[in-house]
Amino acid sequence: MATSSFSSNEIEQLQKGCYYEWMSLQAKHIVDLKEALTSQRSNKNDRKLREVVDKIVNDFQKYTERRSELSHRACSSYFAPSWNSSLENGLLWMGGCRPSSFIRIIYAMCGSQTETQLIQYLLKIDENVHESHGDGSMSALTSTQLGQINELHMKVIKKEDDVSKKAANLQEDVADMPISVTAYATDSVEAGVVVEDALDKYEECLSLLMAEADELRFKTLRKIVEVMTPVQAAEFLLADKRLHVSLHEWGRVREERGLGCGCGCARARG
Amino acid sequence: MATSSFSSNEIEQLQKGCYYEWMSLQAKHIVDLKEALTSQRSNKNDRKLREVVDKIVNDFQKYTERRSELSHRACSSYFAPSWNSSLENGLLWMGGCRPSSFIRIIYAMCGSQTETQLIQYLLKIDENVHESHGDGSMSALTSTQLGQINELHMKVIKKEDDVSKKAANLQEDVADMPISVTAYATDSVEAGVVVEDALDKYEECLSLLMAEADELRFKTLRKIVEVMTPVQAAEFLLADKRLHVSLHEWGRVREERGLGCGCGCARARG
C-alpha cells in the first residue's frame, strides 16, 4: 500500500495499529505453541508443531514487510515508538530487538534446563521436569546444533555491527552539510526546502536500514528453527514471544507504578 | 542530590526540567557567543572569547553531572525522552549526540567556508564573507590542527564503538537469565522480585554507560576547543548549539505539521 498520501500523524497511527495487531498475533502464537507442544507430548507427532513454527516465522516476515511499507519517510518513530515504555525503547536496536538476543535466549534456556536436570539428578527426583522450564529439549541440544548456533551467533554479531556502523554514519551525516551549515547560518527556526529534503532523505535511509535489520532478525529466526528439532524450535519461539510480551507489560507496569503513586514508595525506585 | 526517594514519574519530571534548563542555557550561549565574536572582530582581543568558550565547556560538564545524578535507576527515559521529537530520538546515541558528530560539524563548516571563499575569489567579489558562514576561521584551520582533529576523530570513533559494544552486551543480557527464563516460566504479567531486581540492575548499568558516553562527549568538546583558536572554538560551539536547537525545533515543527493537518498535504510526507 502506498503511504505517500498520508500525513505523518496518520502514518504513526497506522504504525501503532500494525504494532498492536502484531502483539495480538503474538498472544495467539503463544496459545498455538502451547497447544501444539502439549499435543506433541501425547502423540509424539511433529507435523502440527512444524506447521505452527513455520507459520510463526512467516508471520514475522509479513510483519516486517508491513513495517517497511509504513516506515518510508516516517521511520524515526520506529526508533522510539510512543506505544513502547521507556524500558522497551532503551532496549531497542534499529527499531526492534537485537537478532543476537534470540541466541542468548537459547543459551539461557539451555543453561536453565541443564541446571534443573542436574538438581533433579542430584536429588534423585523421579518426576518430569517442571513444565515451566519446558520439557528439557533445550538441554538436549547436540554439540552439532550448539556449534551451528554458535557459528550463527558470531555471524549475527558481525552483521549487527555492520548495520550499527551504517546507522552511525547516517547519524553523523546529519551533522554535515547542508543541515549543520543551514543551522549555523540562521537564527530562524524555519528549516527551509534544502533542510527538509535532507531530513526526508535521512528518514528514507533510516527506513532502508531498519528493513536491513528486520531482514537480519527474520533470517536469524529462520536459521535457528532450521537448526532445531520442531520441539526445540517451538520452545524457543515460546520463550521469545513471552519475553517480548512480558517486557512490554513489565515496562508498562513499572511506568504506571511510578505515575500512579508519586509518594516515593515504588519498589523499583525505592 | 539523592534521587532514591523519588518516584519514577517525579524523576522524569526532574529530567525534563533539567533538559529545558539546558536548552535555555544553550539559547543564552548562542547570544553570548555571537556578542563575543562581534566584539572580537572589532577589538581583536581574544580574552572575552576564551572566557565564554571555557564557560560553555564547563556548563556542559555540569549538565552531564546533573544528568548522571538523575539517571540512577531511571536511565531508560534518557534513551528516548518524551520531550524529544521522533526525529531527535532517532538521532540519539547513548542518550545524546554522537561525539563524532562534533567533528563532522567542523568538517562541514570548513568545507562550506572554503567553498564560499573560492566562489568569492572566482567572482572577484571584494566584500566580507557573508556573516552567516562565519568569518572564515574554519577554512583557516592549519594542517597541524586538521591533523589533530582527524586523529581525535579516529580515537572518538573507536571509543564510541567500545561504548556501543558494552550497550549491545547489556541489551543482550536482558535476553539471558533470569529475565528470559522467568518470562518463559509464567503466563503472569507480574514481574516478581527477581526480574525487578534484574531490571533495576540493568537501568543502573545503563546509567553508568550514559555517564561514560557523556564523559566522551565532554572530553571531545574540550579537546576540540583546545586545538582551536578562540575564534574557531567560538564558531564551532555556535554551530553545534544552533544545530542542536534547530533539530529540536525542526523535529517539533515536522511533527506538528503532521498532527495539525491530517489532509495529506504535509510537504515532508507528501
Side-chain angles (χ1 to χ4, degrees):
Chain A
M1 181 189 64
T3 55
S4 57
S5 59
F6 290 99
S7 74
S8 63
N9 186 42
E10 285 168 324
I11 292 180
E12 209 199 331
Q13 286 308 310
L14 290 171
Q15 290 172 342
K16 193 173 181 174
C18 169
Y19 171 78
Y20 278 111
E21 273 173 33
W22 174 238
M23 289 302 273
S24 298
L25 191 55
Q26 288 202 105
K28 187 179 175 304
H29 288 158
I30 289 174
V31 174
D32 292 347
L33 284 164
K34 282 165 69 181
E35 281 178 6
L37 277 166
T38 306
S39 162
Q40 195 276 349
R41 274 185 206 115
S42 57
N43 64 23
K44 301 292 170 198
N45 187 338
D46 285 349
R47 194 186 54 78
K48 176 69 184 161
L49 213 49
R50 179 55 77 191
E51 272 176 25
V52 171
V53 166
D54 289 347
K55 185 184 177 305
I56 288 174
V57 174
N58 284 338
D59 282 347
F60 181 68
Q61 190 177 26
K62 281 185 207 154
Y63 171 61
T64 63
E65 284 164 2
R66 180 78 182 121
R67 268 158 62 97
S68 180
E69 285 166 8
L70 292 172
S71 71
H72 181 69
R73 285 198 174 186
C75 192
S76 283
S77 45
Y78 272 124
F79 283 69
S82 59
W83 52 86
N84 271 358
S85 63
S86 295
L87 175 71
E88 287 172 290
N89 279 337
L91 286 167
L92 280 189
W93 174 80
M94 304 303 304
C97 68
R98 283 192 174 268
S100 54
S101 67
F102 294 146
I103 295 158
R104 287 292 288 268
I105 291 174
I106 300 171
Y107 292 154
M109 288 184 71
C110 189
S112 160
Q113 290 179 355
T114 306
E115 193 179 78
T116 305
Q117 289 180 341
L118 184 67
I119 291 167
Q120 285 193 316
Y121 176 78
L122 291 173
L123 295 174
K124 298 193 190 304
I125 293 169
D126 187 22
E127 56 185 339
N128 288 333
V129 178
H130 191 285
E131 193 208 19
S132 65
H133 289 81
D135 64 0
S137 70
M138 288 291 178
S139 60
L141 280 163
T142 65
S143 58
T144 310
Q145 285 178 310
L146 283 171
Q148 286 172 303
I149 287 164
N150 187 44
E151 196 183 325
L152 179 65
H153 199 189
M154 298 300 106
K155 277 187 193 163
V156 166
I157 286 174
K158 168 81 180 59
K159 284 187 180 163
E160 275 182 11
D161 283 349
D162 291 346
V163 174
S164 293
K165 279 202 179 77
K166 287 185 197 173
N169 287 337
L170 199 58
Q171 287 186 323
E172 268 199 45
D173 285 348
V174 173
D176 206 337
M177 288 192 273
I179 296 176
S180 66
V181 174
T182 306
Y184 181 74
T186 176
D187 273 330
S188 161
V189 295
E190 282 289 319
V193 176
V194 176
V195 168
E196 288 286 3
D197 284 347
L199 292 176
D200 284 346
K201 184 81 194 152
Y202 157 77
E203 295 249 16
E204 280 175 32
C205 292
L206 207 58
S207 167
L208 292 176
L209 219 49
M210 188 179 82
E212 199 176 331
D214 270 350
E215 195 188 359
L216 183 58
R217 283 184 267 265
F218 165 66
K219 285 188 172 171
T220 307
L221 210 57
R222 192 178 59 185
K223 181 70 188 170
I224 288 171
V225 304
E226 273 172 21
V227 165
M228 290 181 161
T229 65
V231 172
Q232 288 165 343
E235 287 202 351
F236 156 71
L237 286 174
L238 188 53
D240 174 54
K241 302 281 163 197
R242 275 181 163 163
L243 180 62
H244 190 184
V245 170
S246 298
L247 281 172
H248 188 68
E249 280 305 304
W250 295 339
R252 193 184 57 75
V253 169
R254 279 166 77 93
E255 270 182 8
E256 275 183 5
R257 191 172 43 207
L259 286 165
C261 177
C263 69
C265 73
R267 191 195 158 283
R269 315 291 176 204
Chain B
M1 182 190 64
T3 56
S4 56
S5 59
F6 290 99
S7 73
S8 62
N9 186 42
E10 285 169 324
I11 292 180
E12 209 199 332
Q13 286 307 310
L14 290 171
Q15 290 172 343
K16 192 173 181 173
C18 170
Y19 171 77
Y20 279 110
E21 272 173 34
W22 173 238
M23 289 303 273
S24 299
L25 191 56
Q26 288 201 106
K28 188 179 174 303
H29 287 160
I30 288 174
V31 173
D32 292 348
L33 283 164
K34 281 165 68 180
E35 281 177 7
L37 277 165
T38 306
S39 161
Q40 195 276 349
R41 275 185 205 117
S42 57
N43 64 23
K44 302 292 169 199
N45 187 338
D46 285 349
R47 195 186 51 80
K48 175 70 184 160
L49 214 48
R50 179 54 77 188
E51 272 176 24
V52 171
V53 165
D54 289 346
K55 186 184 177 304
I56 288 173
V57 174
N58 285 338
D59 282 347
F60 181 68
Q61 190 176 27
K62 281 186 208 155
Y63 171 61
T64 63
E65 285 164 0
R66 181 79 181 121
R67 267 158 64 96
S68 180
E69 285 166 6
L70 292 173
S71 71
H72 181 69
R73 285 197 175 186
C75 192
S76 283
S77 45
Y78 272 124
F79 284 69
S82 58
W83 52 85
N84 271 358
S85 62
S86 295
L87 175 71
E88 286 172 291
N89 279 337
L91 287 167
L92 279 190
W93 174 80
M94 304 303 303
C97 68
R98 283 192 175 267
S100 53
S101 67
F102 294 146
I103 295 159
R104 286 293 288 268
I105 292 175
I106 300 171
Y107 292 154
M109 289 184 71
C110 189
S112 160
Q113 290 180 354
T114 306
E115 192 178 79
T116 306
Q117 289 180 342
L118 184 67
I119 291 167
Q120 286 193 316
Y121 175 79
L122 291 173
L123 295 174
K124 297 196 191 302
I125 293 167
D126 186 23
E127 56 185 336
N128 289 333
V129 178
H130 191 285
E131 193 208 19
S132 64
H133 289 81
D135 64 0
S137 71
M138 287 292 178
S139 60
L141 279 163
T142 64
S143 57
T144 310
Q145 285 178 312
L146 282 171
Q148 287 172 302
I149 287 165
N150 187 44
E151 197 183 324
L152 179 65
H153 199 189
M154 298 300 106
K155 278 186 192 164
V156 166
I157 286 173
K158 168 80 180 59
K159 285 187 179 164
E160 276 182 11
D161 283 350
D162 292 345
V163 175
S164 293
K165 278 201 180 79
K166 287 185 196 174
N169 288 337
L170 199 57
Q171 286 186 324
E172 268 199 45
D173 285 348
V174 173
D176 207 336
M177 286 191 274
I179 296 176
S180 65
V181 174
T182 307
Y184 180 74
T186 176
D187 273 331
S188 161
V189 296
E190 281 290 318
V193 176
V194 176
V195 167
E196 287 286 2
D197 284 347
L199 292 176
D200 284 347
K201 185 79 195 155
Y202 157 77
E203 295 249 16
E204 280 176 33
C205 291
L206 207 58
S207 168
L208 292 175
L209 220 50
M210 190 180 80
E212 199 176 330
D214 270 350
E215 196 187 358
L216 184 58
R217 284 183 266 265
F218 164 67
K219 285 188 172 171
T220 307
L221 211 58
R222 192 178 58 186
K223 181 69 188 170
I224 288 171
V225 305
E226 271 172 22
V227 165
M228 289 181 161
T229 65
V231 172
Q232 288 165 344
E235 287 202 350
F236 157 70
L237 287 174
L238 188 53
D240 174 53
K241 302 282 163 197
R242 276 181 162 164
L243 179 63
H244 191 183
V245 170
S246 298
L247 281 173
H248 187 68
E249 281 304 304
W250 295 339
R252 193 183 58 74
V253 169
R254 279 166 78 91
E255 270 183 7
E256 275 182 5
R257 191 172 43 206
L259 286 165
C261 177
C263 69
C265 72
R267 191 194 158 283
R269 313 294 175 200

